[in-house]
Amino acid sequence: MLVSWPIVFFIFIVVSLISSIFLLSSKVPLDYVRIHIGVISVPPILALCALIFQKEHLIWGPWQFNTLSWLLAVFVLTMGLIVQRYCVHFLLGDRSYRKYFSLLTLTTTAGSLAWLSADLRLLLICWGTTLLGLTLIIRLKKEWIVAKRAAVTMGRLFTFSWLVLLAVVLWLSQATGHWQLSQVMTEESLAGFASWEKTIINLLLVLSVLIPAGQWPFQRWLLDSAVAPTPISAVMHAGIVNAGGILLTLFAPLFSASLAQIPLLILSGISVLIGTGIMLVQVDYKRQLVGSTIAQMGFMLIQCALGAYVAAIIHAILHGLFKSTLFLQAGSAIQHGHAKKKSKESTSFIAKGSGLIVGIIAGIGYWSTSPEEAYTLISSIILGCSVTLAWLQLIVYGQGRIGRIAGFILFVAGAIIYSLVHSGFHRLLHETIVSGIQPSVPAIPFLLIILLIGSLIGLGLAQKGSFKGRTMLYLWLVKLGEPNEDVVESHPKFLTQYMSQGGNK
């Protein structure tokens, strides 16, 4: 009975891939895309059923099926389904309309299979296919030189990242004599490594995850990817840019208590600052989201560096769902900030202080009930700041009594949903994911410094008026957040060609 879920799941995975190939034929009417959407909706439903009803860990050939792998399969395939459903109308009329759906199906399917892989060779193949699929999607508009150049940059970095991961896998398999991940990660297998070997392998692993996560100094490709259609930016969050947390979780027995956690902590902290700064100074909405993604992925990798792997997986999934939603709404983003300005200025100091009190209570409450050590304090501070901000925006700055009541109801509902979601994920994953060991360096002071610098950057950019330090910081962040010159066009030349061809016809 246990094997039946994987069998049925793989049958419909194959059917989905066949459907995507069938869609490429020009003889197939475009209306078939709706049938294709129905076909690809079956695998995530089956994966969800398996997640709910299959309680035992199952190794089936080169595949592994547990709560973590099924959860990631549900996440990736559901994201792919949502994006493809969105593309039905969004990309209608595009010359590569059919190819988009085929490549999206290939990319998300390969991504889900990568996290279901028990064999390191299979994981490499599926992960490489995922990166290749994303690069080909960006490159679909060959006539648009900007997209082509962005795809070339992505392809080179992705290839380098994949080759580094290949070196890690080959080293591990040759040293342990195993290809299966569960056998490689046993205490007996890892005991055969010298400390310098483990350090080098983990440094290579860190390098391989920093690139797809768009972390400093490899953030350029992620900024260049803003030329892609909005749904493609959304699908990147389906286990691609957030794959770093997943990979480090899979290799947690090897990565924990390693010196490689220190450089990961430092580079991720720098990325949090850079991403936050880019988000604050950019006026382009998509690049604001890209800057936010850099910062959020940095925080996810900090969680891994501190051994909080369950929190990293939760972050990867929830951030992926949230950020992909924002990307899909990018075309209708409108700023509404002027109406509340007067109410903010007239709000009493006591009312504003209530938000701070609520935030402190929330932070202390989280700190006292969570098991992680260094991560707990930092997360408590961030949670307290978020609660304070939410209280001010929803309640203190609410418009009238009705607005404040509605804001309070939303605040309480959000707190309840947050608690239920996080406790549910912890119960689901605590037996599957091993607990990590935080680095021996004073992680808390370092992270507190990162938070302090980030706060100073935000306050400095928010200050009215102009002074030299603020201007230099602002211009540096603007330059850092801009894509390369060769992937920017004031007016896409291929559109002019389309118009001229249409006129001639």
Side-chain angles (χ1 to χ4, degrees), residues 183-194:
Q183 294 178 338
V184 172
M185 291 295 116
T186 60
E187 291 184 8
E188 294 78 10
S189 297
L190 297 179
F193 288 96

Side-chain angles (χ1 to χ4, degrees), residues 96 99-100 103-104 106-107 129-142 147 151 154-155 158 232:
S96 302
K99 294 180 181 178
Y100 273 112
L103 286 175
L104 283 170
L106 173 66
T107 302
T129 304
T130 303
L131 296 176
L132 176 63
L134 179 61
T135 305
L136 292 177
I137 293 173
I138 301 293
R139 198 176 181 273
L140 270 182
K141 290 186 178 295
K142 296 179 181 179
M154 290 174 58
F158 286 170
I232 309 309

Side-chain angles (χ1 to χ4, degrees), residues 149-169:
R149 289 170 179 168
V152 169
T153 301
M154 290 174 58
R156 290 173 179 171
L157 285 174
F158 286 170
T159 301
F160 177 67
S161 172
W162 186 85
L163 290 175
V164 172
L165 185 60
L166 172 64
V168 171
V169 169

Side-chain angles (χ1 to χ4, degrees), residues 409-423:
I409 293 173
L410 288 175
F411 180 85
V412 173
I416 294 173
I417 293 173
Y418 173 87
S419 300
L420 291 176
V421 169
H422 275 256
S423 61

